[in-house]
Amino acid sequence: MKYFYVAIFFLCSSYSASLAIGEVSTFTLKNGMDIIVIEDHRAPIVTHMVWYKVGSADEPPGKSGIAHYLEHLLFKGTENLKTGEFSKIVAENGGSENAFTSYDYTGYFQRVAADRLNLMMEIESDRMQNLRLTIEDILPERGVIIEERNSRTENNPNSLFSEHRSALMYQNHPYGVPVIGWMHEIEKLTREDAIDFYERYYAPNNAILIVAGDVEPQAVLDLAQKHYGIRIASKKIVKRVRPQEPPKRAAIHTIYEDPRVRQPYIIREYLAENRKPGDQLEAAALTIFAHLLGGSGKTSFLGKRLQLDEKIALNVSAWHSATSYDPNKFGLYVVPVPDVSLQVVEDALDLALDNFFEVGIDQDHLKRIKTQIKASEIFALDNQEGIARAYGTALTSGLSVNDVKEWPNILAAVSAEDIMIAARKVLNPKSSVTGWIRGSQEIAE
Amino acid sequence: MNKFLSAFIMILLSGLPVNAELIIHEVKSKGGITAWLVSDNSIPIISFDIAFKGGASTELDDKLGATYLMAGLLEEGAGNMDATAFSLAAEELATSLSFNSSRERISISAEFLKETTNQSIALLKAAITQPAFNDAAFERTKAQVLSIISRNQTDPRKIASNAFNKIAFESHPYGRPYQGTANTISSLTQDDMFEAHRQNLTKDRLFVSVVGDITADELLIILDDLFGGLPEKGALFPNVVNFKALGGNTIIDFDTTQSTALWGHSGISQNDPDFFAAFVMNHILGGGSFTSRLTDEVREKRGLTYGVYSYIANMDYANFYGGSVSSANDRIEEALDVIKEEWARMANSGVTEEELIAAKKYITGSYPLRFDGNGQIAGILTYSQTNDFPINYPQNRNSYVEAVTKKDIARVANRILKAEDIHFVVVGSPTGLVATE
C-alpha cells in the first residue's frame, strides 16, 4: 500500500520517465542554443520549455536562493512587456505555464495549443535577455519567496530535516545549500544580486530549448531560428566547475528533534556516483540496486526482511539520485513500528545490509526489475511532458542526447556483478550521513 | 453478446486544429455494466479508471476509517495470494494497480501493456472481488494508518481541513475525518473489512472508464468478468447537507512561523442555471491562475503569500465556496482582510468586459490540454460519469463557458458571494486576528 508519502519518494521512481525515446531530433543554433524536438502527434498540443544550465549550486556564496528568486522575477516586465503581461498572454491563449529551479537547472515552460508555439517562443526569447526589474517588482516578490520557504520548509519538519542532512553530507560542494536558500540569506537578496546572476547566466549558449508534441522538427527549427537565433551568445559562459567533496573520513550521525514530529524515522544517505557522459554503468547499477533493496515494501530485500519478517518497520525505501551534474546521494529510509526504537531499526538495517552481500542477488527479482524497465519505456510514451523533462534534466546535468537514449539499454544490461561492485563501493560508512528524526519529547530514550 | 449503445461522441477540441478527435463510446455489457471507452491504439497500453461512489461517507461513526483501511488492503493480498505474491505478480507483468479512497469515493486505476491484458485483468479482479484481508496484512496496514493519523495531528493543513469540515458539516459524514481516528481504527476488525468491502464495492455505485489499445468488443467481455460477481446494492448514501458555519474566525494555536488558513461559506450546485457564470467568476476571483484577482492583490502587489486560491466545491451531497492561503503569522491578518475586500468588490461590481474575455479565452483554450495521456483521459471520463454529466459534456462544455455574460456574473456574484458570511479557520500563531464564538 502507498500510504506513506515522503518528499524523497519521487527520487526512487524517477527512472521510469527517463527511459522514453519518441522521435527525437536535435539541432544547435549558431549562437550555441541547443534544441530538442520530441514528436507526439496524438493531440494538437505542445510543451515548450527553455532550460538554463544554471541552478542553486552555481550561486555565489552568501546569496543562496538567488537562482530561485530570479526564476520568480522572470515573470515581471521586460523591455517589451509590462509586469504580469507574460502570464496574461499565456492565459489568454489557453496555455498553462510554470517554472522550476533545482541545484543544476532553472526551467520555464508552457503547455499550449500547437499553433501558439510561435507566440510562446517570441515571449520566452524576449525574457532571456530583456528583463527590466523595478523596485516595485522585486520587493513584494521577495515576500513571496519568504512565504514559499515558510510553506515548503519552515512548516514541514521533514523538509527541515532534509536540508539539515544535506548540509552535513556536503562539506564543500554547494549541494549542501538548499535550493530555496537559507532564510537569513533570502531576506537580504537584492535587485543587484538578481541582475548580476541574470546577466552572468541567461544566454542562448547556456540554454536548451525543448519542444514536445504535435510539431515537425524542421518547423520548430525555423521558429527557433527566428526567435532565439537573434539572442547574443555570452562570453561569460564557461564549463561549470564547483568545489568538490574532500575525502570522507568519518561516518556522521545526527538527531533532529522537532515537537511537530509524531512519527520518528531514520534516513541514511551515502555519497554516490551520478550518471556521467559516456559512463553511466555505475549509476545504472546503483539505480537497480536501490530497487532491489527498497523498491517495494513487499518484494524488496529490505521490505521483506524488516517489514514482513522481523516486523519492526512500518515502511522502508531505497533510492538513488542518478541524474545530476555532480555526485549525488544513495538513500535508505526506515520507519519503525510503534515501540521499536530508532536504534533497533538502525542496527537491524546494518545487519540486513551485511546479509545482502552474503546472500547475493535474487536473479528472479533482477529479472522482474528489468521487465519493468522495459515496460516503462512504453508507458513513458504516454507522457509527453515527462519525456521532455527527462531530456531537460539529463542535458542540464552534463549528459548528451545519446546518453539519454542509451540509458535504458545500459540499465537493461546491468549484471548482478555490476550491482555488487557498485553496492560495495557506495555503502561506505565513512561517506554516510545517518539522520534520526523524532519529537523532542523522546529525548530520554 | 450485447450491442453497445451507439453514443459515439466526437469532441472537437475547440480553438485547435480539427484533427483532434476524442471518440467516447458508451458500452453496456450483457450483465448490465456500463463503461465509457476511448479506443486508441497508438501505444500498446490500456488504462482503467474505476470509481465506487460513497467512500467514507457511508460509514457508521464507530467504524470511521474502515473504508480507507479496506481500500488500502485491496493490494495486500487476494485469492490465494498473500501481499508479497500479489506484488510479485504485478511486477512480473509490469502492471500498475492503485487503490485509493477519500471522503466519498473508492478509486481504482490500472495501467498495463496490451500483451498482458488477460493476466492483468485477472489480478485486478482478484483484488476487487476476493481480497484476503489476512492477519499479517491487516495488522501491518492498520499500523501504517495509525501512523498517518498521528502525523496528521501536527500537519497544519490537515489540522485546518479537519477543523473546517467539522465546523462546516457538524455531525454529517462530511464533518468527519475520512481516514478515521486512532480510536476507531484501533477497534476495527477483519470482519469490518469484509463488511466495508461488501457495502462499498457494489454495482449500484460503480463507474468505469477505459482508454487505450482495446476495442469495445474486448471490453464488454472484461466488464462482466471483472464486475459481474459484485453485489447489486451497497450501503445507504448520506443525506444532503447545508454548509453550517457562520461568518467569523476559528483560530487553532500551533507553534509555527506561518499561519495556514482555509475559508468557506455556502456555495452553488452544478445544476444551478448560473453555475457556469459562477465558474467563470471564480476563475477571475481566485481560480488558480497567475492572473486571478486574489493572486494579483495578495501575492503580486503585496507579497503576502506564495499561493492564494478560491474554489467552488461540489460534493455529491453538499456544496460550498472555499479558499486557502498561507502567510507569516504577522501578515495573515492583512491577507485575510484583502481577501474579504476582494470578495465584497466582486459581489458588488462583478467583472469587467476585459476580464471576462480573457477568462473565457483561458478556460476554453486550456480545456483540451487536460486530455493528455490515457490515464488522464480515463480520469476525466470517470469524473464526468460520477458527476452525472452527459457523454457529450466534453464536446459542449466550452459553449457553456462562452455563453456567460458580464450580467450573468454580476447576478451570480451578488447572490453567492457574502464577505460577512465567510468562516476562516486559521492554524498557527496569528497576530491581530480575533476568534469569534
Side-chain angles (χ1 to χ4, degrees), chain A residues 396-412:
Chain A
T396 51
S397 298
L399 298 165
S400 68
V401 169
N402 201 44
D403 290 322
V404 179
K405 290 183 176 174
E406 277 302 307
W407 180 238
N409 300 331
I410 293 169
L411 284 167

Side-chain angles (χ1 to χ4, degrees), chain A residues 1-6 40-47 68 72 75-76 83-84 87-99 111-116 136-137 139-152 154-158 183 214 259-263 265 295-300 304 307-308 311 313-315 333 335-338 364-365 367-369 371-376 378-385, chain B residues 13 15-17 19-21 40 42-47 67-73 75-76 83-84 87-101 111-113 136 140-145 147-148 150-151 153-157 254-260 283 289-291 298-306 326-331 354 357-359 361-376:
Chain A
M1 92 181 270
K2 292 151 194 116
Y3 279 150
F4 273 83
Y5 183 81
V6 175
D40 176 358
H41 299 287
R42 290 180 298 159
I45 296 169
V46 69
T47 302
H68 170 251
H72 278 231
F75 291 85
K76 304 300 181 186
T83 285
S87 296
K88 221 175 194 173
I89 291 171
V90 176
E92 287 186 357
N93 283 279
S96 58
E97 60 166 342
N98 217 325
R111 291 192 67 245
V112 70
D115 62 352
R116 314 293 157 90
E136 296 78 56
D137 285 334
L139 287 181
E141 201 60 35
R142 196 171 64 192
V144 171
I145 58 170
I146 287 169
E147 292 302 340
E148 185 177 355
R149 188 183 153 90
N150 277 335
S151 291
R152 288 183 192 277
E154 307 292 340
N155 255 5
N156 185 345
N158 301 308
M183 188 65 102
D214 188 17
R260 294 172 291 183
V261 174
R262 290 292 163 88
Q263 174 62 67
Y265 60 85
S296 137
K298 282 153 288 190
T299 63
S300 70
K304 279 198 290 193
Q307 268 180 249
L308 302 183
K311 295 188 171 56
L314 276 179
N315 213 264
Y333 165 73
V335 183
V337 299
D364 288 342
H365 193 183
K367 197 174 147 213
R368 290 200 307 276
I369 289 171
T371 302
Q372 291 175 289
I373 289 169
K374 203 160 163 248
S376 69
I378 299 167
F379 291 126
L381 295 174
D382 195 33
N383 182 359
Q384 182 188 109
E385 197 181 317
Chain B
L13 301 182
L16 295 179
N19 61 341
E21 296 168 1
D40 174 0
S42 52
I43 305 173
I45 58 176
I46 299 166
S47 295
T67 312
Y68 181 64
L69 180 56
M70 182 275 292
L73 278 163
E75 62 176 354
E76 296 287 330
T84 299
S87 290
L88 284 177
E91 287 175 12
E92 275 162 9
L93 299 169
T95 291
S96 314
L97 301 175
S98 91
F99 303 85
N100 293 296
S101 74
E111 186 181 50
F112 50 87
L113 300 175
R140 189 160 38 81
T141 308
K142 195 173 176 179
Q144 289 178 329
V145 172
S147 170
I148 290 167
S150 163
R151 285 185 295 166
Q153 288 167 353
T154 54
D155 176 342
R157 288 187 190 99
F254 189 67
D255 186 12
T256 183
T257 52
Q258 187 189 53
S259 292
T260 299
H283 175 78
S289 81
F290 284 137
T291 53
V298 183
R299 174 175 155 149
E300 297 301 314
K301 286 193 186 148
R302 295 178 178 80
L304 294 172
T305 188
Y306 176 56
S326 303
S327 298
N329 287 326
D330 59 352
R331 306 206 280 177
E354 197 191 353
I357 291 168
K361 281 184 183 169
Y362 173 77
I363 296 169
T364 58
S366 63
Y367 188 57
L369 303 186
R370 294 192 202 167
F371 294 80
D372 174 38
N374 292 354
Q376 287 279 99

Side-chain angles (χ1 to χ4, degrees), chain A residues 320-342:
Chain A
H320 173 231
S321 309
T323 311
S324 59
Y325 192 80
D326 286 314
N328 212 309
K329 295 184 235 175
F330 183 93
L332 303 168
Y333 165 73
V334 186
V335 183
V337 299
D339 303 324
V340 167
S341 73
L342 291 168

Side-chain angles (χ1 to χ4, degrees), chain A residues 191-293:
Chain A
R191 176 171 173 271
E192 283 62 45
D193 295 332
I195 291 172
D196 288 350
F197 202 75
Y198 179 65
E199 291 182 344
R200 171 106 167 68
Y201 292 109
Y202 279 58
N205 50 328
N206 203 35
I208 300 161
L209 169 67
I210 300 181
V211 178
D214 188 17
V215 289
E216 298 300 332
Q218 185 59 44
V220 173
L221 176 61
D222 293 345
L223 285 177
Q225 198 83 257
K226 178 175 151 199
H227 295 297
Y228 293 105
I230 57 173
R231 298 294 155 224
I232 298 158
S234 165
K235 295 198 175 74
K236 295 179 195 161
I237 305 300
V238 292
K239 186 174 156 53
R240 290 184 273 180
V241 180
R242 294 141 171 183
Q244 297 297 304
E245 285 299 287
K248 300 286 188 183
R249 302 189 193 282
I252 294 172
H253 201 287
T254 185
I255 301 175
Y256 175 68
E257 291 179 338
D258 187 312
R260 294 172 291 183
V261 174
R262 290 292 163 88
Q263 174 62 67
Y265 60 85
I266 167 178
I267 287 187
R268 180 185 294 159
E269 289 160 310
Y270 300 86
L271 199 62
E273 285 301 329
N274 52 323
R275 294 162 65 189
K276 297 210 163 55
D279 177 16
Q280 304 185 84
L281 179 62
E282 188 171 342
L286 289 175
T287 297
I288 293 182
F289 178 45
H291 279 261
L292 287 166
L293 270 189

